[in-house]
Amino acid sequence: MTSDLLATILSDLVSPTLLGLALLGTVLGLVFGALPGVSSTMALAVMLPFTYGMETAPAMVMMLAVFFSSVYAGSVSAILLNIPGTPGAMITLLDGHAMARKGRAAEAMSYALIASIFGGVVGWILLVLLAPTIAHYALQFGSPEYAAVVLFGLALVAYASSGDTLRGLAAGAMGLLVGVVGRDQVTDVPRFTFGTADLQGGIDIIPLAIGLFGIAEVLSLLCRSKDAADPVPESAGRTWPRLRDLVGEFPTALRGSVIGTFVGAIPAAGSAVAVALAYAFEKRLSRTPDDFGTGIPRGVVAPEAANNACVGGALIPMMTLGIPGDSITAVLIGVLLLHGLRPGPGLFENQPDLILTIYGGLFLAILLTAIVAGAIGIPVYRRILAIPQRLLMSAVLILCILGAYSVRNAVIDIWVAIFFGAVGFAFIRLNIPVLPLAFGAVLGPLLEENLRRTLLIHKDVGVFFERPVSLLLVSVSLAILVLPTVIGLLAKLRRPD
Amino acid sequence: MSPTPSDDAARREVVNDLVSGGLCLAVSLGLAWVHFAQAGRLHDNFGRDPGPALLPQVLLLCLGLAGLGLSARGLLGLRRTAAMAAPGSVRSLWPALAAVLLMAAFIPLRGLTGAAAALAVIGAALAVLAGRTDTARWPVTALMGGAAGLALYALFHFGLSVPL
């Protein structure tokens, strides 16, 4: 197996066709991923028609390169512009953009790249070694466990976001309400559509994220007085971190990578939950948790390692069970189906060469992302900061309009982005964390689907406390939300004054 | 004794709690009214399925409770903190409002002049708005903002085949 894999990687490296397609995919992924509103899914969807005339192996190698590099590049707009390109980059902006504001944008992008590559390699190793076993355990998850995973993710985000937990919970509830807008998937009954046809399909997450993070940030900058203005300065600092600083982040990267791979392997949990979990975990372990969100490398390394480790993790259920881990792997399944192949256990028996090519292709994508982004990407991205603020703000707002529109070519998405831009701006002014709202909107449909399925099958919410995994997740979620308040109250009572 | 900056910060958080709490209560009550007034099958009995009304009702309740909690905390904080020395002014928000209106103007302008011209005009206006305190001359800023709008139009329309 190992020798076959090494031989495949080497043959991929020396094959001009595969190498060329992987390089093309990497460059396109780095460009698409860095554009706000152009998610990894959209990048893959745009490239899908180009694979029609290709053999399966070159098509998969190119698509994997787009996949991996665009997931990393999502952090670029999060760091530079405070706009996450993908849901997986939502956490990165907390410390990444804060680092950029301190004049350490290039360093933040380097940390993100190194963590992404590290996470990608760990995810790849675990994919190759543990694919069948992890997939087996992921398949054991029922609807109570999925619903509990969503609650757990939201609790982590409410706790880990800046501001306080009560405001975070209120924002999370608003986000979950946004997630239920549109026609109900089961009964086709409209909810909160206000009689308009445009909202029947629900609110797309990308325009919402563009508004909450991109537009709101620029509106906030516009309202600062000249003296108080603190925009992203052109990075005068170093591009690459010092070796000893990098070594210090190794345990964080490793923990983030393992979390990312395992959460990525849970179908539909996705990178959004993985990055929140990795970030909250590091914050919990830290001796200085208050530093998170102020612009520390650890706040970039943990979510980025988890985000890119999710790539390997998401491929596990896709390849072994035929279940897409997220919308991106759903497109990859589409590539296999286009070529007459059905992913699942049969793929391992009938197409062992293709499995090795996929493993080799992902490794090639990681390698090329490291080389291209490191040598060309970061220096090019860095030049964005040399653009005068007035032009950058104007361009970002136009980019937000175009990015929102291009998701579905629908005018309603522009309105959604503008509306949530205003909401995000109000949240910033009121010191309410924005992230739980976005996460709630992402996870709302997943929560509802699994909550209803649980109640339909088990008829009782008590089932959450009867199954060990859901019991553990619900208990930890409650502890995360309640313990800090209880500890704070106890500390106040103990004070003599 | 006049309030110190840290007193002001504490008072601002109290005001934020009150406004956030009021906002949560208003949103939960408003949406509850929309939800319960909706005719049709939303509130039907769907047999064993808990139905499409369950989660919205739970969430509206949670949001309302969070609003009550924030309001109560804000009201308690009012007693403990002194009034701010320099309260914030709503007038300082005009650039954000202007930017929102300019972005919203894209949709009608696109119908009138086409997307390229609309983006050029809006790009120019937004650049002038963002550079209002800069020393750069505004016609130059407007020209560069317009050019940026056109460049982004070209990228999305021709590069990504987005039908603008």
Side-chain angles (χ1 to χ4, degrees):
Chain A
M1 167 77 178
T2 311
S3 57
D4 289 347
L5 186 57
L6 282 173
T8 306
I9 292 169
L10 281 174
S11 67
D12 285 357
L13 279 172
V14 296
S15 159
T17 312
L18 286 182
L19 193 60
L21 285 171
L23 189 62
L24 177 71
T26 303
V27 172
L28 291 173
L30 288 173
V31 174
F32 283 141
L35 290 174
V38 184
S39 62
S40 304
T41 314
M42 188 182 170
L44 282 169
V46 166
M47 297 306 294
L48 190 60
F50 295 104
T51 65
Y52 291 166
M54 293 182 193
E55 296 286 323
T56 313
M60 281 304 287
V61 167
M62 187 178 79
M63 296 298 262
L64 284 168
V66 176
F67 182 8
F68 188 84
S69 58
S70 62
V71 167
Y72 154 69
S75 70
V76 172
S77 57
I79 290 167
L80 293 182
L81 308 173
N82 204 29
I83 307 171
T86 58
M90 277 184 196
I91 294 277
T92 305
L93 62 81
L94 295 177
D95 280 273
H97 190 64
M99 280 182 79
R101 293 180 95 114
K102 291 178 179 171
R104 298 172 67 192
E107 201 185 346
M109 284 190 287
S110 301
Y111 270 114
L113 175 63
I114 294 164
S116 297
I117 299 303
F118 186 86
V121 171
V122 172
W124 180 81
I125 291 169
L126 291 176
L127 165 73
V128 173
L129 294 179
L130 303 175
T133 315
I134 292 178
H136 172 75
Y137 282 109
L139 200 63
Q140 307 296 313
F141 267 41
S143 42
E145 283 80 13
Y146 279 124
V149 163
V150 173
L151 282 178
F152 183 52
L154 273 171
L156 287 173
V157 171
Y159 168 73
S161 301
S162 57
D164 74 359
T165 307
L166 186 55
R167 287 186 204 157
L169 281 174
M174 280 190 202
L176 288 169
L177 277 168
V178 170
V180 302
V181 169
R183 283 196 173 270
D184 173 40
Q185 296 285 324
V186 181
T187 58
D188 204 34
V189 172
R191 294 173 301 182
F192 304 123
T193 55
F194 303 97
T196 63
D198 289 329
L199 289 175
Q200 305 276 330
I203 292 176
D204 195 280
I205 186 62
I206 296 296
L208 178 139
I210 285 174
L212 278 180
F213 298 107
I215 294 176
E217 169 75 10
V218 179
L219 295 183
S220 192
L221 279 173
L222 277 171
C223 285
R224 291 186 191 192
S225 65
K226 197 181 178 186
D227 296 335
D230 181 26
V232 174
E234 189 181 349
S235 179
R238 70 175 76 85
T239 299
W240 297 101
R242 281 189 288 260
L243 187 62
R244 70 162 187 270
D245 294 338
L246 269 181
V247 172
E249 300 302 337
F250 174 76
T252 299
L254 189 62
R255 285 189 290 265
S257 304
V258 174
I259 289 171
T261 309
F262 280 84
V263 175
I266 299 171
S271 56
V273 175
V275 294
L277 193 58
Y279 188 82
F281 193 65
E282 286 307 316
K283 193 174 173 180
R284 193 80 209 151
L285 286 181
S286 172
R287 287 177 191 164
T288 52
D290 291 342
D291 288 352
F292 279 79
T294 62
I296 56 169
R298 194 153 297 177
V300 175
V301 170
E304 276 307 301
N307 194 19
N308 279 67
C310 268
V311 174
L315 289 178
I316 294 170
M318 183 200 104
M319 287 169 60
T320 55
L321 304 168
I323 298 171
D326 52 22
S327 57
I328 305 171
T329 40
V331 179
L332 285 178
I333 285 182
V335 177
L336 291 174
L337 292 174
L338 267 174
H339 291 85
L341 296 168
R342 181 161 289 280
L347 204 63
F348 280 78
E349 285 179 16
N350 306 324
Q351 300 278 339
D353 291 345
L354 181 64
I355 296 292
L356 287 176
T357 303
I358 290 173
Y359 289 162
L362 181 58
F363 188 81
L364 196 59
I366 296 168
L367 197 66
L368 288 173
T369 300
I371 294 167
V372 178
I376 305 166
I378 290 177
V380 170
Y381 293 142
R382 190 178 169 154
R383 292 181 73 87
I384 292 171
L385 297 175
I387 301 169
Q389 279 295 309
R390 56 188 180 281
L391 290 180
L392 196 58
M393 279 196 257
S394 157
V396 167
L397 287 180
I398 289 180
L399 206 51
C400 287
I401 295 173
L402 294 176
Y405 177 79
S406 62
V407 175
R408 297 186 295 189
N409 300 334
V411 171
I412 183 68
D413 288 335
I414 298 178
W415 289 119
V416 167
I418 294 173
F419 175 77
F420 282 100
V423 170
F425 174 66
F427 274 32
I428 291 170
R429 302 288 293 196
L430 294 169
N431 202 16
I432 303 173
V434 172
L435 204 59
L437 199 161
F439 264 63
V442 172
L443 299 176
L446 192 63
L447 173 68
E448 181 170 39
E449 182 191 336
N450 288 292
L451 186 67
R452 282 170 70 180
R453 193 177 293 154
T454 302
L455 293 176
L456 192 65
I457 296 168
H458 303 280
K459 297 178 187 168
D460 184 8
V461 287
V463 70
F464 287 110
F465 303 98
E466 289 164 8
R467 297 166 70 115
V469 175
S470 57
L471 173 65
L472 178 74
L473 290 170
V474 171
S475 308
V476 175
S477 306
L478 287 174
I480 287 169
L481 296 175
V482 176
L483 271 183
T485 314
V486 174
I487 291 168
L489 280 174
L490 285 176
K492 271 186 188 172
L493 287 173
R494 277 183 197 162
R495 266 184 229 147
D497 54 339
Chain B
M1 220 165 79
S2 59
T4 63
S6 65
D7 290 340
D8 271 5
R11 183 67 165 197
R12 192 165 289 121
E13 284 305 301
V14 168
V15 173
N16 284 346
D17 270 346
L18 282 171
V19 178
S20 311
L23 187 75
C24 289
L25 282 173
V27 170
S28 63
L29 289 174
L31 289 179
W33 182 76
V34 171
H35 180 77
F36 288 107
Q38 183 173 325
R41 300 174 58 229
L42 180 62
H43 303 286
D44 283 0
N45 183 354
F46 288 88
R48 291 179 63 191
D49 184 350
L54 174 74
L55 188 63
Q57 284 169 16
V58 172
L59 293 173
L60 288 170
L61 182 68
C62 290
L63 187 59
L65 288 174
L68 280 176
L70 286 166
S71 304
R73 195 169 71 181
L75 286 172
L76 284 174
L78 271 183
R79 285 191 206 162
R80 294 178 188 157
T81 53
M84 277 187 276
S89 165
V90 180
R91 280 186 195 169
S92 64
L93 305 181
W94 76 265
L97 181 65
V100 166
L101 291 174
L102 281 170
M103 282 189 289
F106 169 70
I107 295 158
L109 265 180
R110 173 173 162 261
L112 287 172
T113 64
L119 287 173
V121 170
I122 292 168
L126 286 171
V128 171
L129 179 69
R132 67 193 184 283
T133 53
D134 286 2
T135 49
R137 286 186 302 168
W138 73 264
V140 179
T141 304
L143 265 178
M144 291 179 78
L150 280 176
L152 288 170
Y153 168 81
L155 174 67
F156 276 79
H157 188 66
F158 300 111
L160 296 171
S161 304
V162 175
L164 285 164

